[in-house]
Amino acid sequence: MKQDAAAVDDLRQALVIEPNDGATKAALGYALWSKGDYIASRDTLEQAQKSSPDDPQLIRQLMYVNERLGDIPQTQGYARQVVDELDANAQIAPLTPAQNQERFDVRRLHEDIGRRWTINFDSSIGLNSNAMSPSGSQQSAPSSSQSYRSFGQLEAEYRLGRNMLLDGDMLSVYSRLFAGSGDSGVLLPVKDPMIGTGLRWKPLHDYTFFLALEEQFPLDRHHGEIDTMVRASASLFNNGKYSDEWHPNGNGWFAQNLYLDAAQYVHQDIQAWTADYRASWHQKVASQQTIEPYAHVQVNGYRGDHTQGTQLGGIGVRWNIWTGQTQYDAWPHKVSLGVEYQHTFKAINQDIDKRNSAFFTVGVHW
């Protein structure tokens, strides 16, 4: 009946009568988990495990409750026990699709909770001489009021920890170097380089939503100025069976993502925003590779002295390669190479000489 508080009270009274009943302790641990009392849940489940040390469900629940509490060694220890159990079962009979998916998910948890450093490189290179990639695109949100023929960004992020400000949150510091081609006509994104250093906060455990505060510094003082950026971004629908994460079962999978991004540049008093929806199909071509045809639509713009923006659509294909898998860690690294054709449907206060453009894209997640 989902009456968690009443269940907790009843189970505690039951333990007064039978203080050594392991099954009741386990039930109380699950009820405390449902109630959101994770510390008490862990203590009770650990007591229950002493009565049933080989209970596979208790091991899994202890893995999840320790992950929620941000206890990295304990989470990884229980995750390894789950993987070992599944690997032992695989020696007897092939794993079911559900077991195979669970094995991957637990190994992903083992890798992700132990991760401190993440390095990302993203670049979009315009293959047309007058191609203009949209400002504030998914990987970039570059300087406040410019679109580039080409754009590139290298970012290093360090996770400070979980449950730092709120229960279930994650806090990181990061620094990024980004540049474009500007009005130079060069192919590579090497013009007007800037460095941004900031703090990124993921306040919600179950949703991909970030808030960031970033200080930006131009490396060429003649192009750009020091500014402070306040940014909010979210990724929706890109989880579970629709994620871009590797899927261990089947020959391929459908993925989708709605990316939302909004930024305020404090000193220049400029706002930039992006909404981008993408749908794609990952076709497996090797044990850790997919070919991914995709289509997306995007609306973006900025407002300063005046408002500018574009509405565009694109179709493309990417070659994705995952690497670095171990017995207990799912693929931690990913490289993507692709080409994309774009058509601009509408431009607001922007001069676009050519509405059809082509881009070469590179993405590295390490």
Side-chain angles (χ1 to χ4, degrees), residues 118-121 153-157 174-177 200:
T118 300
I119 297 175
N120 289 297
F121 173 74
Q153 172 179 278
L154 176 65
E155 178 188 284
E157 177 190 61
Y174 69 93
S175 185
R176 63 188 183 118
L177 170 65
R200 180 177 290 135

Side-chain angles (χ1 to χ4, degrees), residues 202-210 233-236 238-239 258:
K202 183 178 182 293
L204 304 175
H205 180 274
D206 297 324
Y207 298 93
T208 307
F209 172 69
F210 293 94
S233 58
S235 177
L236 307 177
N238 187 237
N239 52 21
L258 174 61

Side-chain angles (χ1 to χ4, degrees), residues 125-158:
I125 299 173
L127 301 179
N128 304 65
S129 61
N130 54 354
M132 298 293 282
S133 63
S135 63
S137 65
Q138 178 170 341
Q139 293 83 7
S140 58
S143 62
S144 56
S145 58
Q146 299 184 44
S147 290
Y148 301 101
R149 175 189 176 190
S150 301
F151 180 82
Q153 172 179 278
L154 176 65
E155 178 188 284
E157 177 190 61
Y158 180 79

Side-chain angles (χ1 to χ4, degrees), residues 90-115:
Q91 298 298 318
I92 301 171
L95 296 180
T96 66
Q99 289 176 317
N100 200 34
Q101 183 65 55
E102 181 189 29
R103 184 178 184 275
F104 179 86
D105 293 341
V106 171
R107 291 163 59 246
R108 165 57 65 231
L109 174 61
H110 185 278
E111 186 278 326
D112 184 71
I113 196 170
R115 177 186 289 268

Side-chain angles (χ1 to χ4, degrees), residues 128 130-132 340-344 354-359:
N128 304 65
N130 54 354
M132 298 293 282
E340 179 177 324
Y341 163 82
Q342 284 184 2
H343 176 74
T344 301
K354 192 172 184 178
R355 291 183 176 269
N356 299 316
S357 304
F359 297 90

Side-chain angles (χ1 to χ4, degrees), residues 1 23 25 63 67-68 118 130 137 143 157 189 249 272 285 303 310 335 343 350:
M1 296 175 66
K25 288 180 181 179
M63 176 185 67
E67 184 273 333
R68 192 63 187 252
T118 300
N130 54 354
S137 65
S143 62
E157 177 190 61
N249 297 311
V285 294
R303 180 182 294 112
T310 55
V335 178
H343 176 74
Q350 282 188 310

Side-chain angles (χ1 to χ4, degrees), residues 5 35 49 70 98 124 137 153 156 211 239 266 268 274 297 301 315 351:
K35 191 171 177 286
Q49 194 194 24
S124 177
S137 65
Q153 172 179 278
L211 297 172
N239 52 21
V266 176
Q268 300 177 74
T274 294
V297 290
I315 57 173
D351 294 327

